[in-house]
Amino acid sequence: MFDGIVLTGQTFLTMFLEPHFSHFTFVELISKLFITIGLAILTTMLGAAISLFLALVAARNLASKTTSNIIRGIIAVIRAVPTVLWVLIFAVAAGLGSVAAVIGMSFHSIGYLVKAYSESFEEMDDGVIEALKASGATWWQIVFQAVLPSSMTYLLSWTFLRFEINFTVAVAMGAAAGAGGIGYDMFMASVFYYDLREVGIITYFMLLFAILLEVFATRLKRKLRLNA
C-alpha cells in the first residue's frame, strides 16, 4: 500500500512539475481547446433556446396546471439521467462522435435550464400579470413586456452557469464519446501515449481556462446585479 502511495505521488510530481509538449504543439492544443469551447457554446445555446419556450409553459403563473405538471414531469425525468448516460444513449443510435455529444449534452441542458428558467418566471409578482390581463394584454404581450424583461438577469446568470458545466462535460465527452477537442487529446496522451508530462500541460491549459471562465462569470454576475 505504501509503495502505491509513493508511486502515485511520483506520478503527480512528474505530471505537474515537468509538463512539456511531445505529441502536440501549442497551436494544436489551442485549436482543440476552441473545439471544446465551441461544443459547450453550441449545446448551451441549443438548450437555452428550447428551454426558454418550455419554461414559459412550465411556469405555474403563465400556464395551466395540467400543462405545467406534464412539462415538469418530463423535465424531471430528463434531469434525473446524467449527461454522460444521455450521450451514451444517443451514441448507440448515432454512433460515437460529436453528434451524440451535442444531442446528449443539449438534452440534459434542457432539463437543467427549464427548471431554472421556470422558477425565475414564477418569482415575478402575480399582481403585474393580473394587471396586464385586466388591461387586455395577450399571453405573448405579457411574456415580452413583463416576464422576460424582469427575469433577464436570472436567465443570463443561469445560462452562463450551464455553459460552465457544459465546458467540463465537453472535456469528458471528448475522451468518452470521441467528440474531439482537448479532452480527446488528454485521452490520447494518458492512455495511448502514456505521456504523463503531456497530460500535465494539457491539464494546465484546462485549469487556466477554467480560472479565466470563473473570473469572467464573477464579473458578469456582479454587473448583472448592479444593473438589476
Side-chain angles (χ1 to χ4, degrees):
M1 180 178 178
F2 180 75
D3 291 339
I5 295 175
V6 172
L7 182 60
T8 301
Q10 290 176 343
T11 300
F12 271 93
L13 289 176
T14 301
M15 188 183 302
F16 293 110
L17 297 183
E18 303 176 25
H20 74 84
F21 293 103
S22 180
H23 303 89
F24 311 104
T25 65
F26 176 80
V27 175
E28 288 175 338
L29 281 185
I30 290 293
S31 66
K32 294 299 179 65
L33 178 63
F34 276 106
I35 291 174
T36 301
I37 295 171
L39 182 60
I41 292 174
L42 177 61
T43 53
T44 303
M45 291 179 63
L46 285 174
I50 298 172
S51 297
L52 184 61
F53 174 75
L54 291 178
L56 290 171
V57 294
R60 293 187 176 93
N61 58 345
L62 296 173
S64 65
K65 184 177 180 181
T66 302
T67 304
S68 177
N69 288 337
I70 291 174
I71 297 297
R72 285 173 177 271
I74 296 173
I75 292 303
V77 173
I78 295 174
R79 194 171 57 252
V81 179
T83 308
V84 176
L85 188 53
W86 277 123
V87 173
L88 294 178
I89 290 172
F90 286 109
V92 173
L96 290 173
S98 57
V99 174
V102 168
I103 298 174
M105 290 171 61
S106 299
F107 220 63
H108 197 270
S109 295
I110 292 170
Y112 180 94
L113 291 174
V114 168
K115 177 178 172 60
Y117 289 175
S118 61
E119 290 180 351
S120 298
F121 296 151
E122 289 174 352
E123 291 179 1
M124 184 178 177
D125 186 4
D126 291 336
V128 176
I129 297 177
E130 293 301 323
L132 288 171
K133 287 181 179 179
S135 65
T138 64
W139 187 83
W140 287 109
Q141 287 174 331
I142 293 173
V143 168
F144 285 107
Q145 294 180 13
V147 177
L148 292 182
S150 64
S151 306
M152 191 57 64
T153 299
Y154 298 101
L155 298 182
L156 291 174
S157 181
W158 282 114
T159 303
F160 194 83
L161 178 60
R162 185 63 207 188
F163 169 71
E164 292 181 282
I165 296 172
N166 282 345
F167 173 75
T168 58
V169 174
V171 173
M173 291 303 98
I182 199 167
Y184 184 74
D185 284 353
M186 173 170 277
F187 171 77
M188 293 294 291
S190 60
V191 177
F192 190 78
Y193 302 119
Y194 195 66
D195 191 332
L196 298 176
R197 295 173 178 83
E198 196 154 47
V199 171
I201 200 163
I202 294 174
T203 302
Y204 279 129
F205 262 77
M206 292 188 293
L207 286 175
L208 177 61
F209 180 76
I211 292 171
L212 293 175
L213 197 62
E214 184 61 29
V215 171
F216 180 78
T218 302
R219 292 184 177 180
L220 178 64
K221 291 172 184 176
R222 187 183 300 120
K223 186 176 181 179
L224 290 174
R225 282 196 296 266
L226 290 175
N227 293 335

